[in-house]
Amino acid sequence: MRIALAGNPNCGKTTVFNRLTGSSQTVGNWPGVTVERKTGWCALGKIRAEIVDLPGVYSLAPYSPEERIAGAYLKSGQADFILNIVDAANPVRNLYLTSQLLQLGIPVIVVLNRMDAAEHKGYAYRTERLSQALGVPVVAVTAAKGVGFEELRRICGQEAAAGLQPLAPRLDKDPGLDPEAAEADSRYRWAERVVAQACRRAPAKGCETTLKLDRVLTHRFWGIPLFFAILFLIFYLTFGPLGSLLESAQLLPALCQNANALLTGLGVSQWVRSLLVDGVLSGVGSVASFLPRILLLFALLSLLEDSGYMARVAFLMDAPMRRLGLSGRAFVPLLMGFGCTVPAVLGTRILEKEKDRRLTALILPFFSCSAKMPVYTLFATAFFPNAAAAVILGLYLFGVIMALLSALLFKNTVLSGEPEPFIMELPDYTVPGLRNLWIHVWQRLKDFLIKAGTMLLLASITLWLLQSLTPALAPAADASQSILAALGHWLAPVFSLCGFGSWQAAVALSAGLLAKENVVGALAILYPAGIAGAFTPAAAISFLIFVLLYPPCAGAMSVMRREMGKRRWMLLTVFYQLAAAWYCSAMFYQCTSLISRYFFHQ
């Protein structure tokens, strides 16, 4: 049994999917969060059903990538019946899609979601009348709170067994309009008639709240500055007092010391002790020590997203981004880039024009993914403990500036053309649910645990092994005689103008091409006494600039190669980012050194 979930963006479709399947798909309140089909399993009595979460669409007309994906799947006949998720707080617009689904000849169950928001807006539904008007079962739920799902599962089980066919809506087309306009007009008039039969609208209880907030948060002059002020507050909490409570600088050294003592007491050989303590524990543990701050940052950003505020930011950014050759719609994958570049590149599929997709993918790596956060935190807390939040926020903003300048460059050269129009629904402000917040945080924790158990572990063992052996495969008396040092010495001169021309820094950056978390693990192994004495403050910032701007992990580059269509676009991205990283890093360090010599050595 296969059930397709179909509905408009912002209707809560993915939340319904998570409730039915127990899954933890990302939930957002803008188009494009679900770009591909996602599947899960659900027990409906004695029936085990496969649930397919389709992209949110306003209609089945194949104008956008989401509509093509959803329409092709539904028309293929693979789904046994459809769960049509309808936003009860915006019924007429949502029922437009319902009218198309009823004509497919596939059994449909209409799920009235967000009943709490509908009541807040003054809607009062009579589900029996709505069911009669549509000719299909109707279930009222509030997915964010888990209300109504027992009834939904019961009716789904009944319908799966019965296999009832829906009645196609009767559409009265205006002959005075062109065919496309007449089609849309007839569907909206049908939706209005259905709502009038089954719903009454009382005065809203609190709609003014959204309007009052929008007068401030989306103001044409201070809307964007206010957004950056909110971001600074988030970074201050993450890397200031609140983040400090979650992290202990002495925990990892104490853990390594105790582990070494325990292994010594068990009679474990020195070679194995070094592998486990200096390699595995120091490498993986150094990244894990920053995990609480990363989880806190994502929790705070998720609060903004789930509240409906981030959709407003996309609206605010449309005008400045359009001047750079991008529409505000591109803001969605760009913002996803702060989490992980891989889903962000996949998210460019919501952009219809190939030029827009390529341009967005080219600049995406400049948006700092969460894997770079441990590197930023390590250096900021080691060299600038009293200004860590400002340093890290400055890196994020510099990456955004570089992305926008790069967009301007590519817009006027290899990717010229007008951006696609941007139309987006602004959802009502809501109080974020703890369940969705936990899903966001758990996703980051799960990603780290997977990486820690695979890539980070393998990288830490490999680095320790290469540091412990000479090119002749004999035990290295000193790390400077190791295979790793030989490789690093070959690469180090490239970074001499950047201020960190040591073989250790070169090796750490090379390890970061596989996964950015490897940079911290490598530094922990190569600088067991810490990085404080290995970099000057200027060299530390220069190193961070390079990490910010150089190419993303191998996984992200592989996805970029596939999504951009041709290898030359991916190679252009790699070459451009390496050049930008080296140039900006070297310019910063050389200018800082010149200013320092001028003011302090006259």
Side-chain angles (χ1 to χ4, degrees), residues 387-536:
V391 169
I392 294 174
L393 179 60
L395 287 168
Y396 271 72
L397 294 181
F398 182 61
V400 172
I401 292 171
M402 283 296 296
L404 298 181
L405 291 177
S406 300
L408 189 61
L409 170 66
F410 290 124
K411 171 202 171 185
N412 293 314
T413 52
V414 295
L415 289 170
S416 59
E418 289 299 317
E420 68 178 48
F422 176 51
I423 300 174
M424 182 179 184
E425 175 193 2
L426 296 181
D428 293 332
Y429 289 101
T430 59
V431 178
L434 292 178
R435 176 182 170 84
N436 286 346
L437 180 62
W438 164 246
I439 287 174
H440 282 276
V441 174
W442 167 244
Q443 284 293 108
R444 299 310 315 155
L445 180 60
K446 185 173 70 173
D447 288 347
F448 171 77
L449 292 175
I450 292 172
K451 284 186 178 181
T454 54
M455 191 173 295
L456 287 175
L457 179 62
L458 181 62
S460 297
I461 293 173
T462 303
L463 289 171
W464 176 88
L465 189 62
L466 293 176
Q467 183 191 233
S468 302
L469 297 174
T470 66
L473 300 182
D478 185 82
S480 61
Q481 303 171 1
S482 65
I483 300 173
L484 208 56
L487 296 173
H489 282 304
W490 177 79
L491 191 59
V494 174
F495 303 107
S496 58
L497 288 177
C498 301
F500 47 88
S502 65
W503 67 268
Q504 293 95 332
V507 167
L509 289 173
S510 301
L513 290 173
L514 292 176
K516 292 298 178 282
E517 295 94 339
N518 289 342
V519 175
V520 172
L523 291 173
I525 294 171
L526 300 174
Y527 292 114
I531 63 170
F535 295 82
T536 65

Side-chain angles (χ1 to χ4, degrees), residues 168-237:
R170 199 182 95 187
L171 303 176
D172 301 320
K173 297 183 180 180
D174 187 342
L177 299 174
D178 66 79
E180 188 172 340
E183 175 83 9
D185 176 69
S186 64
R187 293 188 186 279
Y188 275 120
R189 285 194 285 115
W190 171 84
E192 289 171 352
R193 289 197 304 269
V194 169
V195 172
Q197 292 176 37
C199 178
R200 57 183 176 82
R201 182 84 182 268
K205 298 178 181 178
C207 290
E208 289 298 320
T209 302
T210 292
L211 295 176
K212 290 177 181 178
L213 287 172
D214 277 343
R215 288 191 191 104
V216 177
L217 296 177
T218 62
H219 193 274
R220 59 180 300 189
F221 294 122
W222 58 69
I224 292 179
L226 188 57
F227 169 61
F228 286 117
I230 292 172
L231 279 185
F232 178 79
L233 177 61
I234 288 175
F235 279 92
Y236 174 73
L237 292 174

Side-chain angles (χ1 to χ4, degrees), residues 39-61:
T39 61
W41 294 90
C42 174
L44 302 175
K46 297 181 180 180
I47 300 173
R48 189 167 184 261
E50 181 185 13
I51 311 295
V52 180
D53 182 20
L54 298 174
V57 294
Y58 293 107
S59 79
L60 296 182

